[in-house]
Amino acid sequence: MANTKDYSTREKILDKYLQSPRGYTRKELQYFVNKELARRGMDPVTARTTILNDMNEIENKYNTIISREQRGRSIYYFYQDSAFSIFNIDLTDEDYDKISMAVTALKRLQGIPKFSWVDELEARLDMTVRKKSRPILMFEDASYNTGMEYFLPLYEYIADRTTVRLIYQNFRGEESEERIVYPYLLKQYNNRWFLFGTDKGYTTLSIYPLDRILSVDSSEEKFVDTDIDFTTYFSDKIGVGIPKEGNEVRDILFRVPLNQKLYLVTKPLHSSQTLVSEDAEWATFSLHVRINYELQQELLAFGDLIEILAPADFRELIKSRLQKSLARYEK
């Protein structure tokens, strides 16, 4: 059957536009679908009945109603319930069984580096579907974070090597800006997601928190790839902050009271962290990292339980920040 293999893509695109109370005609919906299919290198929809059949399938498959409103000579299609989406319906028992089988298959990868997330995935799935009299686990909740609606589109743009057009609002509250960006990576830090890419006309990396992005769309600009190995790129950094040009890797030496030693041993600040020495009072550690904002915040979070020993300029930087903080309490 023509175009059947592309149904899942068409279904996702139709779901997006059917949520609009404005409604769209069959021709408009077909245009939106073909635009996305072309971007993915798929064959376009040519038969007028394909989109109509897709909408019938959505109604039957998800037990929803698509309104058909005659306006002049055209019929406009939209969900009767504008809050409906195929992505916010509850899982059925059959869905749960299929996902459980997939997780079981993934669990065979336990013990392989980078697959430790499988156990957490299984626990999250179980908590989502099964009803408990009281919570067994509690995860950090990022559902209140804005911008997460752009996560999946950006993931797909990166996977498809597609240039994007962003409308971005920075933290200084200035007017929003349009940016043409070659997207390379999504990275999470401190319960927030960040997009790494290069702006058109530049060679240096830019970073965009998803909660500052106002809209994302594909661009016709030719994609420009990067030769950055991001696994290596982040190996000498804490967090996502991009150090300034010339900011070399430094050896950071600090000490904490001996009763804080176990905390840092079991929860190191960075993979390069090393226990250098200890005596009856202090445990001294080292880090081999670049100095950025996140490193400063991680160390300042220890308050009076830490002392930066070296390098001297970094010690003075932290000391200055603490003095400014203390001065606010002395007014």
Side-chain angles (χ1 to χ4, degrees):
M1 183 182 296
N3 297 310
T4 299
K5 66 179 182 179
D6 301 333
Y7 170 70
S8 61
T9 300
R10 301 197 308 269
E11 178 185 68
K12 183 162 56 177
I13 301 164
L14 289 172
D15 177 71
K16 173 183 176 181
Y17 289 99
L18 289 171
Q19 291 176 58
S20 171
R22 167 198 182 277
Y24 293 97
T25 66
R26 190 271 310 167
K27 286 185 178 179
E28 289 175 319
L29 292 171
Q30 188 165 328
Y31 168 78
F32 296 139
V33 167
N34 282 340
K35 182 180 178 181
E36 183 64 20
L37 291 175
R39 188 184 69 79
R40 294 167 179 253
M42 298 178 177
D43 294 333
V45 171
T46 55
R48 67 179 300 276
T49 56
T50 299
I51 298 300
L52 298 176
N53 290 337
D54 286 347
M55 288 192 285
N56 288 333
E57 179 68 17
I58 289 173
E59 285 185 302
N60 295 329
K61 184 177 178 180
Y62 298 103
N63 193 29
T64 190
I65 298 175
I66 297 175
S67 295
R68 295 154 173 82
E69 185 176 294
Q70 185 84 37
R71 302 175 196 166
R73 295 183 178 181
S74 300
I75 299 176
Y76 287 75
Y77 301 85
F78 53 92
Y79 285 139
Q80 186 179 78
D81 178 4
S82 60
F84 175 82
S85 169
I86 63 176
F87 296 104
N88 62 16
I89 59 175
D90 293 333
L91 291 174
T92 64
D93 289 341
E94 182 181 0
D95 292 331
Y96 176 76
D97 289 341
K98 289 179 179 178
I99 295 174
S100 295
M101 289 175 63
V103 172
T104 299
L106 286 170
K107 283 173 69 67
R108 297 174 187 170
L109 301 172
Q110 283 179 321
I112 300 177
K114 299 185 181 179
F115 280 93
S116 58
W117 50 266
V118 174
D119 283 337
E120 181 179 323
L121 173 64
E122 183 179 32
R124 283 182 181 271
L125 174 64
D126 187 68
M127 286 183 62
T128 301
V129 178
R130 298 185 187 277
K131 304 299 182 183
K132 308 291 184 185
S133 58
R134 66 172 183 269
I136 298 175
L137 297 171
M138 295 190 75
F139 297 94
E140 288 189 13
D141 185 6
S143 61
Y144 54 83
N145 287 354
T146 59
M148 286 307 294
E149 64 269 29
Y150 305 123
F151 179 87
L152 187 56
L154 284 169
Y155 176 89
E156 293 180 344
Y157 288 138
I158 293 170
D160 294 340
R161 296 159 59 87
T162 299
T163 304
V164 298
R165 178 181 288 101
L166 300 181
I167 304 298
Y168 178 74
Q169 178 86 53
N170 64 36
F171 282 110
R172 291 187 293 274
E174 299 170 358
E175 289 187 7
S176 59
E177 301 177 63
E178 180 179 292
R179 306 279 183 87
I180 301 299
V181 180
Y182 313 121
Y184 305 135
L185 177 77
L186 287 165
K187 180 175 173 61
Q188 188 180 35
Y189 175 70
N190 199 22
N191 210 30
R192 295 174 68 206
W193 283 95
F194 300 82
L195 170 69
F196 284 80
T198 300
D199 290 1
K200 178 185 176 183
Y202 293 84
T203 57
T204 55
L205 277 179
S206 294
I207 178 171
Y208 294 98
L210 264 60
D211 54 22
R212 306 307 298 172
I213 294 175
L214 303 180
S215 71
V216 176
D217 200 0
S218 61
S219 169
E220 298 301 322
E221 291 283 343
K222 183 179 178 182
F223 183 79
V224 178
D225 208 345
T226 180
D227 57 2
I228 295 175
D229 179 347
F230 283 102
T231 301
T232 303
Y233 180 83
F234 288 105
S235 65
D236 55 15
K237 303 175 186 67
I238 287 177
V240 295
I242 300 174
K244 294 180 180 179
E245 195 73 24
N247 187 342
E248 301 299 325
V249 179
R250 309 283 293 277
D251 287 316
I252 312 297
L253 200 66
F254 65 93
R255 67 179 186 176
V256 297
L258 194 60
N259 61 9
Q260 295 296 309
K261 169 193 163 185
L262 188 58
Y263 177 82
L264 278 162
V265 168
T266 56
K267 192 177 183 296
L269 298 177
H270 186 262
S271 59
S272 66
Q273 180 178 297
T274 303
L275 176 62
V276 177
S277 64
E278 63 179 284
D279 56 29
E281 294 185 64
W282 301 94
T284 302
F285 292 86
S286 68
L287 297 171
H288 190 64
V289 293
R290 298 179 192 271
I291 295 174
N292 61 5
Y293 179 77
E294 286 92 332
L295 170 65
Q296 296 177 49
Q297 293 301 98
E298 288 281 357
L299 296 174
L300 285 167
F302 282 87
D304 63 341
L305 296 175
I306 193 169
E307 179 186 358
I308 309 301
L309 302 175
D313 59 338
F314 186 56
R315 176 184 171 93
E316 286 303 310
L317 173 62
I318 297 299
K319 178 181 176 181
S320 174
R321 290 192 60 179
L322 289 170
Q323 288 174 332
K324 289 178 181 178
S325 179
L326 181 61
R328 298 185 189 280
Y329 290 91
E330 294 178 340
K331 292 180 180 180

